[in-house]
Amino acid sequence: MSTELGSGYRVWAVPGIPEVRPGDDLVKIIAAAATSEGQPGLADGDVLVVTSKIVSKAEGRILAAEDREAAIDAETVRLVARRGSLRIVENRLGLVMAAAGVDASNTEAGTVLLLPEDPDASARRIRDGLRDALRVDVGVIVTDTAGRPWRKGVTDFAIGAAGVRVADDLRGGVDAYGNPLVATVVATADELAAAGDLVKGKAGGLPVAVVRGLARVVVGGQDAGDGNGNGDADADGARWLVRGGPDDMFRLGTSEAVREAVSLRRTVREFTDDPVDPGAVRRAVAAAATAPAPHHTTPWRFVLLESESSRTRLLDAMRDAWVADLRADGLSEERIARRVRRGDVLRKAPYLVVPCLVMDGSHSYPDARRSAAEREMFVVAAGAAVQNFLVTLASERLGSAWVSSTMFCRDVVREALELPEGWDPMGAVAVGRAAEAPRERAPRDASAFMVVR
């Protein structure tokens, strides 16, 4: 089976690959099939596209597992999204895909196939073996199948590569109209994987394909594709194509993103000098404004201290008021100085926000009990808004610390910031990039905080 794609290259599936079992010599099997009678053989510059299933079988990546879910758990490092029993996860290879790539198809009942432990190393072994056996310099791509966000259907993509330029970086060039190319990096290895899948198919028993006519994508030389980790797309294999960490703008599904943002919300006390994006803070305020509140009110205001002069004016006034209170409490000057130093977290942040409670729309009651309860409802609503604010900052990868000190000198804060009399400062939030990764939070047993009736 073969297909001609345009006039530039040819793709065909290699027939005659038998059922592969653990310990089989995959190089010998592929070489025999590719050079059998009636086959075009292999030539320098060809790209061999190999389904990961046979690589996994040859490497013994077969697991007896009646419970496929347990196997998925073992291969998962991060849950990206879940809908019913379907899980999209990041697996040990950094690949984001359904079920961590654990496959119960094309394997005996009661077993599952795991992906190769190191697909780039697997591709290198095949490439080196074919060079030794057939004296040909080919590229090798190991493929698997996955869906894609926002697109129906599945396609093959490269999970391992050797001797192949996995990407064509066009940045710095120009298009046909002379416009500069600033973001175009073509995933060549994935395109080759998909081309191979057109002739291999999913159920035809044809796990190997050959692409001929694209020698330009094959890297020559004994050391090409050695996976030395130097950040070069030719040398690092298909791992180079994995986008992870801060570069991944679509890291999580909606509900998982909310949970991760909540878990990321930590009190940060040391910040970098990096400036804070005012737009990110405004987005966090917009999220805060969705909090529930009594009587259809909006009992919160957020004062954004974006200038250094406003922050200094507020913090100096608060420090003077605090020192005066501590002296009135009879503390020594040494103890006062230590207290003030410990409270300097707000000074270390490049951005401050003062959330305020407003009682507009509150009801008046003749007795103190109901009046106190009315205020408590508004305070709780303000707290919900601040929590929304802090969680959204965390989702923007901004650290924060909600410090209560403004509540002890509200008149001072109102005067320093020229706020209306009815605005009650409910602490201050320090905002910035965390200077270091937060320590792991000690696990908490949710049942310890529940009472069921």
Side-chain angles (χ1 to χ4, degrees), residues 265-301:
R265 195 226 56 80
R266 309 284 183 84
T267 296
V268 175
R269 299 192 179 278
E270 296 290 340
F271 299 92
T272 68
D273 294 331
D274 296 340
V276 172
D277 174 16
V281 178
R282 283 160 173 75
R283 289 191 290 273
V285 172
T290 66
H295 315 318
H296 305 289
T297 59
T298 53
W300 44 70
R301 302 293 183 270

Side-chain angles (χ1 to χ4, degrees), residues 122-300:
S122 301
R124 290 195 297 274
R125 284 192 291 270
I126 295 172
R127 180 174 189 262
D128 293 343
L130 290 173
R131 181 194 294 119
D132 293 340
L134 302 179
R135 297 293 185 264
V136 292
D137 198 7
V138 299
V140 175
I141 293 175
V142 177
T143 71
D144 201 52
T145 304
R148 300 142 301 155
W150 309 294
R151 302 286 291 178
K152 294 180 180 179
V154 296
T155 185
D156 270 22
F157 69 110
I159 65 170
V164 175
R165 300 187 189 280
V166 298
D168 191 4
D169 191 346
L170 303 181
R171 292 173 296 184
V174 295
D175 64 16
Y177 294 92
N179 300 310
L181 298 172
V182 296
T184 304
V185 180
V186 179
T188 307
D190 286 347
E191 293 184 326
L192 290 166
D197 188 48
L198 287 174
V199 294
K200 290 192 286 96
K202 299 300 181 192
L206 297 167
V208 178
V210 178
V211 180
R212 176 167 293 175
L214 293 176
R216 63 180 176 80
V217 306
V218 175
V219 183
Q222 181 74 22
D223 298 326
D226 62 1
N228 58 18
N230 64 7
D232 183 84
D234 300 341
D236 282 346
R239 183 174 293 276
W240 187 90
L241 293 167
V242 176
R243 187 195 302 275
D247 292 334
D248 185 357
M249 294 178 65
F250 308 100
R251 226 175 127 70
L252 299 166
T254 303
S255 59
E256 290 75 22
V258 172
R259 283 195 291 273
E260 175 157 297
V262 171
S263 69
L264 286 174
R265 195 226 56 80
R266 309 284 183 84
T267 296
V268 175
R269 299 192 179 278
E270 296 290 340
F271 299 92
T272 68
D273 294 331
D274 296 340
V276 172
D277 174 16
V281 178
R282 283 160 173 75
R283 289 191 290 273
V285 172
T290 66
H295 315 318
H296 305 289
T297 59
T298 53
W300 44 70

Side-chain angles (χ1 to χ4, degrees), residues 34 92 102 261 293 349 376:
R92 296 177 185 275
V102 176
E376 286 176 357

